[in-house]
mmCIF file of all heavy atoms in Angstrom:
data_model
loop_
_atom_site.group_PDB
_atom_site.id
_atom_site.type_symbol
_atom_site.label_atom_id
_atom_site.label_comp_id
_atom_site.label_asym_id
_atom_site.label_seq_id
_atom_site.Cartn_x
_atom_site.Cartn_y
_atom_site.Cartn_z
ATOM 1 N N LEU A 296 6.844 16.313 6.450
ATOM 2 C CA LEU A 296 7.449 15.014 6.734
ATOM 3 C C LEU A 296 8.966 15.058 6.698
ATOM 4 O O LEU A 296 9.633 14.287 7.393
ATOM 5 C CB LEU A 296 6.941 13.968 5.743
ATOM 6 C CG LEU A 296 5.478 13.539 5.895
ATOM 7 C CD1 LEU A 296 5.094 12.576 4.788
ATOM 8 C CD2 LEU A 296 5.237 12.903 7.255
ATOM 9 N N THR A 297 9.530 15.938 5.891
ATOM 10 C CA THR A 297 10.983 15.971 5.758
ATOM 11 C C THR A 297 11.648 17.026 6.636
ATOM 12 O O THR A 297 12.729 16.792 7.187
ATOM 13 C CB THR A 297 11.386 16.224 4.298
ATOM 14 O OG1 THR A 297 10.783 17.444 3.832
ATOM 15 C CG2 THR A 297 10.932 15.077 3.407
ATOM 16 N N GLU A 298 11.011 18.171 6.820
ATOM 17 C CA GLU A 298 11.654 19.286 7.501
ATOM 18 C C GLU A 298 11.238 19.445 8.955
ATOM 19 O O GLU A 298 12.012 19.963 9.773
ATOM 20 C CB GLU A 298 11.347 20.596 6.764
ATOM 21 C CG GLU A 298 11.815 20.634 5.325
ATOM 22 C CD GLU A 298 11.400 21.923 4.625
ATOM 23 O OE1 GLU A 298 11.004 22.881 5.325
ATOM 24 O OE2 GLU A 298 11.459 21.960 3.382
ATOM 25 N N LYS A 299 10.042 19.029 9.306
ATOM 26 C CA LYS A 299 9.497 19.351 10.622
ATOM 27 C C LYS A 299 9.653 18.188 11.609
ATOM 28 O O LYS A 299 10.066 17.089 11.257
ATOM 29 C CB LYS A 299 8.022 19.737 10.493
ATOM 30 C CG LYS A 299 7.776 20.911 9.550
ATOM 31 C CD LYS A 299 8.530 22.161 9.978
ATOM 32 C CE LYS A 299 8.246 23.330 9.055
ATOM 33 N NZ LYS A 299 8.981 24.555 9.463
ATOM 34 N N GLY A 300 9.266 18.455 12.849
ATOM 35 C CA GLY A 300 9.341 17.446 13.885
ATOM 36 C C GLY A 300 7.990 16.790 14.121
ATOM 37 O O GLY A 300 6.951 17.453 14.060
ATOM 38 N N TYR A 301 7.996 15.502 14.408
ATOM 39 C CA TYR A 301 6.765 14.780 14.712
ATOM 40 C C TYR A 301 7.120 13.464 15.405
ATOM 41 O O TYR A 301 8.262 12.992 15.340
ATOM 42 C CB TYR A 301 5.938 14.516 13.452
ATOM 43 C CG TYR A 301 6.687 13.798 12.347
ATOM 44 C CD1 TYR A 301 6.723 12.410 12.287
ATOM 45 C CD2 TYR A 301 7.357 14.520 11.363
ATOM 46 C CE1 TYR A 301 7.411 11.751 11.278
ATOM 47 C CE2 TYR A 301 8.048 13.878 10.349
ATOM 48 C CZ TYR A 301 8.076 12.496 10.317
ATOM 49 O OH TYR A 301 8.770 11.844 9.332
ATOM 50 N N TYR A 302 6.152 12.860 16.077
ATOM 51 C CA TYR A 302 6.362 11.619 16.810
ATOM 52 C C TYR A 302 6.142 10.433 15.878
ATOM 53 O O TYR A 302 5.236 10.443 15.037
ATOM 54 C CB TYR A 302 5.425 11.562 18.016
ATOM 55 C CG TYR A 302 5.620 12.767 18.920
ATOM 56 C CD1 TYR A 302 4.779 13.877 18.812
ATOM 57 C CD2 TYR A 302 6.676 12.822 19.819
ATOM 58 C CE1 TYR A 302 4.976 15.004 19.594
ATOM 59 C CE2 TYR A 302 6.881 13.947 20.609
ATOM 60 C CZ TYR A 302 6.032 15.038 20.482
ATOM 61 O OH TYR A 302 6.241 16.152 21.249
ATOM 62 N N CYS A 303 6.978 9.404 16.023
ATOM 63 C CA CYS A 303 6.946 8.318 15.038
ATOM 64 C C CYS A 303 6.903 6.920 15.651
ATOM 65 O O CYS A 303 6.970 5.938 14.907
ATOM 66 C CB CYS A 303 8.142 8.436 14.090
ATOM 67 S SG CYS A 303 9.752 8.613 14.897
ATOM 68 N N TRP A 304 6.756 6.800 16.995
ATOM 69 C CA TRP A 304 6.626 5.468 17.575
ATOM 70 C C TRP A 304 6.387 5.592 19.070
ATOM 71 O O TRP A 304 6.784 6.574 19.699
ATOM 72 C CB TRP A 304 7.889 4.640 17.335
ATOM 73 C CG TRP A 304 7.738 3.166 17.646
ATOM 74 C CD1 TRP A 304 8.336 2.466 18.655
ATOM 75 C CD2 TRP A 304 6.938 2.219 16.937
ATOM 76 N NE1 TRP A 304 7.964 1.140 18.610
ATOM 77 C CE2 TRP A 304 7.105 0.964 17.558
ATOM 78 C CE3 TRP A 304 6.097 2.312 15.823
ATOM 79 C CZ2 TRP A 304 6.453 -0.183 17.124
ATOM 80 C CZ3 TRP A 304 5.448 1.166 15.383
ATOM 81 C CH2 TRP A 304 5.635 -0.062 16.033
ATOM 82 N N ILE A 305 5.737 4.585 19.648
ATOM 83 C CA ILE A 305 5.578 4.502 21.097
ATOM 84 C C ILE A 305 5.572 3.032 21.496
ATOM 85 O O ILE A 305 5.038 2.178 20.781
ATOM 86 C CB ILE A 305 4.288 5.205 21.574
ATOM 87 C CG1 ILE A 305 4.208 5.224 23.109
ATOM 88 C CG2 ILE A 305 3.056 4.548 20.982
ATOM 89 C CD1 ILE A 305 3.076 6.072 23.645
ATOM 90 N N LYS A 306 6.217 2.740 22.642
ATOM 91 C CA LYS A 306 6.268 1.367 23.125
ATOM 92 C C LYS A 306 6.264 1.366 24.646
ATOM 93 O O LYS A 306 7.029 2.089 25.274
ATOM 94 C CB LYS A 306 7.535 0.658 22.622
ATOM 95 C CG LYS A 306 7.615 -0.813 23.008
ATOM 96 C CD LYS A 306 6.533 -1.629 22.315
ATOM 97 C CE LYS A 306 6.589 -3.102 22.720
ATOM 98 N NZ LYS A 306 5.538 -3.889 22.059
ATOM 99 N N LYS A 307 5.376 0.547 25.228
ATOM 100 C CA LYS A 307 5.309 0.368 26.673
ATOM 101 C C LYS A 307 6.046 -0.919 27.026
ATOM 102 O O LYS A 307 5.690 -2.006 26.553
ATOM 103 C CB LYS A 307 3.842 0.265 27.114
ATOM 104 C CG LYS A 307 3.641 0.037 28.603
ATOM 105 C CD LYS A 307 3.827 1.306 29.387
ATOM 106 C CE LYS A 307 3.239 1.237 30.796
ATOM 107 N NZ LYS A 307 3.742 0.162 31.641
ATOM 108 N N VAL A 308 7.100 -0.798 27.857
ATOM 109 C CA VAL A 308 7.882 -1.959 28.270
ATOM 110 C C VAL A 308 8.017 -1.920 29.788
ATOM 111 O O VAL A 308 8.759 -1.091 30.330
ATOM 112 C CB VAL A 308 9.277 -1.973 27.628
ATOM 113 C CG1 VAL A 308 10.001 -3.282 27.966
ATOM 114 C CG2 VAL A 308 9.191 -1.799 26.118
ATOM 115 N N GLY A 309 7.278 -2.787 30.471
ATOM 116 C CA GLY A 309 7.303 -2.753 31.919
ATOM 117 C C GLY A 309 6.817 -1.418 32.443
ATOM 118 O O GLY A 309 5.743 -0.944 32.080
ATOM 119 N N LYS A 310 7.623 -0.770 33.282
ATOM 120 C CA LYS A 310 7.246 0.525 33.840
ATOM 121 C C LYS A 310 7.641 1.690 32.949
ATOM 122 O O LYS A 310 7.354 2.846 33.278
ATOM 123 C CB LYS A 310 7.878 0.702 35.224
ATOM 124 C CG LYS A 310 9.407 0.725 35.219
ATOM 125 C CD LYS A 310 9.938 0.852 36.646
ATOM 126 C CE LYS A 310 11.466 0.840 36.678
ATOM 127 N NZ LYS A 310 11.989 0.972 38.064
ATOM 128 N N TYR A 311 8.284 1.401 31.815
ATOM 129 C CA TYR A 311 8.780 2.460 30.941
ATOM 130 C C TYR A 311 7.898 2.640 29.705
ATOM 131 O O TYR A 311 7.301 1.677 29.196
ATOM 132 C CB TYR A 311 10.205 2.152 30.469
ATOM 133 C CG TYR A 311 11.210 2.040 31.594
ATOM 134 C CD1 TYR A 311 11.768 0.802 31.921
ATOM 135 C CD2 TYR A 311 11.593 3.150 32.320
ATOM 136 C CE1 TYR A 311 12.693 0.673 32.945
ATOM 137 C CE2 TYR A 311 12.521 3.041 33.352
ATOM 138 C CZ TYR A 311 13.065 1.804 33.661
ATOM 139 O OH TYR A 311 13.962 1.696 34.683
ATOM 140 N N ILE A 312 7.855 3.880 29.228
ATOM 141 C CA ILE A 312 7.241 4.198 27.943
ATOM 142 C C ILE A 312 8.302 4.877 27.100
ATOM 143 O O ILE A 312 8.909 5.874 27.523
ATOM 144 C CB ILE A 312 6.031 5.136 28.103
ATOM 145 C CG1 ILE A 312 4.960 4.503 28.980
ATOM 146 C CG2 ILE A 312 5.446 5.487 26.726
ATOM 147 C CD1 ILE A 312 3.842 5.457 29.357
ATOM 148 N N PHE A 313 8.547 4.352 25.908
ATOM 149 C CA PHE A 313 9.503 4.934 24.975
ATOM 150 C C PHE A 313 8.733 5.601 23.840
ATOM 151 O O PHE A 313 7.889 4.955 23.206
ATOM 152 C CB PHE A 313 10.425 3.864 24.401
ATOM 153 C CG PHE A 313 11.261 3.153 25.436
ATOM 154 C CD1 PHE A 313 10.821 1.962 26.005
ATOM 155 C CD2 PHE A 313 12.475 3.675 25.846
ATOM 156 C CE1 PHE A 313 11.588 1.296 26.960
ATOM 157 C CE2 PHE A 313 13.252 3.019 26.802
ATOM 158 C CZ PHE A 313 12.800 1.831 27.357
ATOM 159 N N ARG A 314 9.030 6.872 23.582
ATOM 160 C CA ARG A 314 8.384 7.568 22.455
ATOM 161 C C ARG A 314 9.466 8.157 21.557
ATOM 162 O O ARG A 314 10.271 8.980 21.983
ATOM 163 C CB ARG A 314 7.433 8.659 22.930
ATOM 164 C CG ARG A 314 6.767 9.377 21.752
ATOM 165 C CD ARG A 314 5.573 10.214 22.137
ATOM 166 N NE ARG A 314 5.893 11.334 22.994
ATOM 167 C CZ ARG A 314 5.085 12.390 23.170
ATOM 168 N NH1 ARG A 314 3.914 12.445 22.537
ATOM 169 N NH2 ARG A 314 5.423 13.366 23.979
ATOM 170 N N SER A 315 9.471 7.727 20.306
ATOM 171 C CA SER A 315 10.450 8.186 19.324
ATOM 172 C C SER A 315 9.910 9.379 18.564
ATOM 173 O O SER A 315 8.699 9.482 18.338
ATOM 174 C CB SER A 315 10.771 7.058 18.341
ATOM 175 O OG SER A 315 11.126 5.868 19.031
ATOM 176 N N TYR A 316 10.805 10.263 18.128
ATOM 177 C CA TYR A 316 10.353 11.432 17.382
ATOM 178 C C TYR A 316 11.439 11.968 16.469
ATOM 179 O O TYR A 316 12.625 11.721 16.672
ATOM 180 C CB TYR A 316 9.869 12.533 18.328
ATOM 181 C CG TYR A 316 10.927 13.143 19.225
ATOM 182 C CD1 TYR A 316 11.568 14.341 18.880
ATOM 183 C CD2 TYR A 316 11.285 12.550 20.433
ATOM 184 C CE1 TYR A 316 12.532 14.912 19.708
ATOM 185 C CE2 TYR A 316 12.235 13.110 21.265
ATOM 186 C CZ TYR A 316 12.855 14.297 20.900
ATOM 187 O OH TYR A 316 13.812 14.856 21.723
ATOM 188 N N GLN A 317 10.989 12.660 15.444
ATOM 189 C CA GLN A 317 11.887 13.412 14.569
ATOM 190 C C GLN A 317 11.923 14.852 15.070
ATOM 191 O O GLN A 317 10.877 15.467 15.261
ATOM 192 C CB GLN A 317 11.412 13.362 13.119
ATOM 193 C CG GLN A 317 12.261 14.197 12.166
ATOM 194 C CD GLN A 317 11.884 13.999 10.714
ATOM 195 O OE1 GLN A 317 12.060 12.905 10.172
ATOM 196 N NE2 GLN A 317 11.373 15.034 10.078
ATOM 197 N N LYS A 318 13.124 15.382 15.295
ATOM 198 C CA LYS A 318 13.262 16.771 15.733
ATOM 199 C C LYS A 318 13.059 17.718 14.557
ATOM 200 O O LYS A 318 12.288 18.682 14.613
ATOM 201 C CB LYS A 318 14.658 17.000 16.320
ATOM 202 C CG LYS A 318 15.000 16.170 17.554
ATOM 203 C CD LYS A 318 16.471 16.324 17.895
ATOM 204 C CE LYS A 318 16.874 15.530 19.120
ATOM 205 N NZ LYS A 318 16.509 16.250 20.362
ATOM 206 N N SER A 319 13.794 17.442 13.496
ATOM 207 C CA SER A 319 13.732 18.184 12.235
ATOM 208 C C SER A 319 14.419 17.296 11.210
ATOM 209 O O SER A 319 14.733 16.134 11.501
ATOM 210 C CB SER A 319 14.428 19.549 12.364
ATOM 211 O OG SER A 319 15.793 19.383 12.745
#
Side-chain angles (χ1 to χ4, degrees):
L296 290 176
T297 56
E298 300 176 15
K299 303 302 182 180
Y301 55 88
Y302 303 97
C303 51
W304 192 248
I305 185 172
K306 184 67 181 180
K307 178 78 163 57
V308 186
K310 63 182 178 180
Y311 299 110
I312 300 171
F313 299 93
R314 180 165 65 162
S315 308
Y316 65 97
Q317 177 173 294
K318 298 171 180 279
S319 59

